[in-house]
Amino acid sequence: MFKPTVARNSFKALNTARPAAFAASRPAAAFTRPLSYTPALHKKSNDPSKDPIEAATTRAPEGASGEHEGQFARTDESVHIEYPPDSEMPAQPVVQGRGGKHFKRTLAQFSLEKKVSMVTGGARGLGLVMGQGLVASGSDLAIVDLNRDEAVTAAQSLIDQFRKENPGIEDTDMPTVTAHYADVANPDSVNAALTEVLEKHGQIDNLVTSAGFTENFDAINYPFDRMQKLWGVNVDGTYLFAIGVAKHLMERKAPGSIVMIGSMSGAIVNVPQPQAPYNAAKAAVRHLAASLAVEWAGHDIRVNCISPGYMLTALTRKILDENPQLRDKWTSLIPAGKMGTPEDLMGAVTFLLSDASKYITGAELRVDGGYTVT
């Protein structure tokens, strides 16, 4: 067999034995790499507008490729949408026909019977509809919201709807749905709400952190105090309620499930509306869920994240009515070709809170019509 070591020693001996005359005959110039003789595949034009590839880039004259290049993948600094005050907030109706008895076979593991679930931001929007889904799945419910009156109204609406869908039901079989106040960004307020919920229900088994809001401002002009408020509600509020419920579960030595409501904005950059602080906040929520899932796994506390895409809440409908151009831009980027509805989250949140997902923790479930995979 040929051995490299033998070859190297032979080559070294040959160099050593070379006559002086042979060594002197070598040119003194340094080695020069020869030029390549590969012919050019095509002659490059000096006029970008005549090149079909370069005509679609910003190197071509403006408008050479039709519309302005890259416009559909950029934010538009002229889009400014502030989160409306409570007096202008549209009401979110409860869903019809979801809480009655049904005869479709399904896994018993999806049931939330004998569980107490708490939903922050549960008086309206996604939080209200997800809470209704939990009640329909057998759970008692504590609605926590900054607007106590709206939370009370929402709780009564859920009770009335459940009774309507279950005629003749005994009072003892009715779910317990309560309303509570909390400023989710304030530790003292959060602790007070947790204490009140425990006084009413005796325990907390599941948590859904749905309190949050977004605003659309370009980063340079976004008021700093509003950015702090946005982070306080979306990130601090999620963290404070999560550790409060986890501490309660650890003291009870009981298993539990926490679902943090993130957003597809935590993984992509929305266009055309600028919203950098919100996107970063939701990315923080997503990674907080993963981090706490690892930290609390030994206590049998699961932590997962649901990241919705564009959802047609009452507020979103109001925004699109005032900014109709956004609807077409948003839906054009969704493979499903349509925006979601709050009801699309009912099954997702029930799954992640129930024993049907008992070996799932630290996961992110995106409910976005395929937006983030394109």
Side-chain angles (χ1 to χ4, degrees):
M1 182 180 290
F2 183 77
K3 295 184 179 181
T5 303
V6 174
R8 285 197 300 269
N9 291 337
S10 300
F11 183 72
K12 183 178 180 182
L14 180 61
N15 285 341
T16 303
R18 279 179 177 175
F22 179 81
S25 67
R26 296 177 62 188
F31 175 77
T32 304
R33 182 185 297 276
L35 296 175
S36 171
Y37 293 100
T38 304
L41 297 178
H42 66 277
K43 186 176 181 180
K44 192 171 184 180
S45 172
N46 292 325
D47 185 356
S49 64
K50 294 181 179 180
D51 186 317
I53 301 300
E54 292 197 359
T57 73
T58 53
R59 186 172 181 272
E62 186 173 353
S65 63
E67 299 288 350
H68 181 64
E69 298 82 0
Q71 65 171 338
F72 298 118
R74 296 175 183 167
T75 57
D76 183 349
E77 294 183 358
S78 68
V79 179
H80 284 186
I81 302 174
E82 292 188 28
Y83 192 74
D86 280 346
S87 59
E88 299 177 14
M89 186 69 66
Q92 176 72 44
V94 296
V95 182
Q96 304 299 312
R98 298 284 179 166
K101 292 182 179 180
H102 62 83
F103 299 95
K104 294 181 180 179
R105 289 178 294 184
T106 187
L107 285 171
Q109 287 175 301
F110 284 95
S111 173
L112 295 176
E113 292 181 2
K114 298 182 180 179
K115 301 292 185 180
V116 176
S117 302
M118 180 165 62
V119 179
T120 67
R124 62 168 72 112
L126 301 181
L128 174 60
V129 178
M130 286 189 289
Q132 186 177 2
L134 302 184
V135 170
S137 300
S139 180
D140 288 337
L141 178 66
I143 296 174
V144 179
D145 204 276
L146 184 65
N147 190 319
R148 183 190 292 273
D149 292 339
E150 193 171 359
V152 171
T153 300
Q156 189 59 52
S157 296
L158 293 185
I159 290 293
D160 293 344
Q161 183 67 25
F162 192 89
R163 190 179 291 279
K164 178 181 178 181
E165 294 170 356
N166 294 272
I169 189 172
E170 299 290 336
D171 288 343
T172 54
D173 294 327
M174 285 291 294
T176 300
V177 182
T178 58
H180 310 270
Y181 164 83
D183 175 356
V184 299
N186 184 303
D188 293 334
S189 183
V190 170
N191 290 333
L194 289 167
T195 299
E196 186 176 281
V197 170
L198 290 173
E199 289 175 351
K200 293 285 186 179
H201 292 271
Q203 65 187 56
I204 301 171
D205 301 291
N206 302 316
L207 169 67
V208 180
T209 59
S210 186
F213 72 96
T214 183
E215 292 188 306
N216 303 124
F217 278 89
D218 62 290
I220 292 176
N221 294 309
Y222 191 35
F224 184 68
D225 61 330
R226 295 199 65 81
M227 188 192 75
Q228 288 181 304
K229 180 179 180 181
L230 184 147
W231 271 74
V233 174
N234 287 284
V235 182
D236 297 348
T238 297
Y239 177 77
L240 291 171
F241 267 98
I243 61 174
V245 170
K247 182 179 179 182
H248 162 71
L249 291 168
M250 291 175 189
E251 291 172 348
R252 281 175 54 204
K253 292 181 171 54
S257 181
I258 297 172
V259 172
M260 297 179 177
I261 305 304
S263 170
M264 69 174 184
S265 304
I268 53 94
V269 177
N270 302 68
V271 290
Q273 70 278 17
Q275 52 185 47
Y278 176 80
N279 296 348
K282 287 305 185 180
V285 169
R286 179 181 65 167
H287 202 56
L288 178 63
S291 300
L292 294 180
V294 173
E295 190 167 332
W296 296 340
H299 297 279
D300 204 7
I301 299 172
R302 296 186 297 112
V303 188
N304 292 289
C305 178
I306 291 179
S307 292
Y310 290 121
M311 293 285 164
L312 280 171
T313 63
L315 176 57
T316 304
R317 290 179 185 276
K318 179 178 184 294
I319 291 173
L320 293 181
D321 286 343
E322 297 171 354
N323 302 271
Q325 75 281 1
L326 285 179
R327 181 197 62 231
D328 294 339
K329 290 183 178 180
W330 288 357
T331 55
S332 70
L333 295 169
I334 305 172
K338 61 181 179 180
M339 296 174 63
T341 64
E343 298 96 294
D344 293 326
L345 296 176
M346 289 174 125
V349 72
T350 300
F351 167 66
L352 288 177
L353 291 182
S354 71
D355 285 344
S357 62
K358 63 183 179 181
Y359 197 57
I360 298 175
T361 192
E364 180 194 18
L365 177 56
R366 297 183 188 173
V367 185
D368 63 359
Y371 190 106
T372 58
V373 297
T374 59

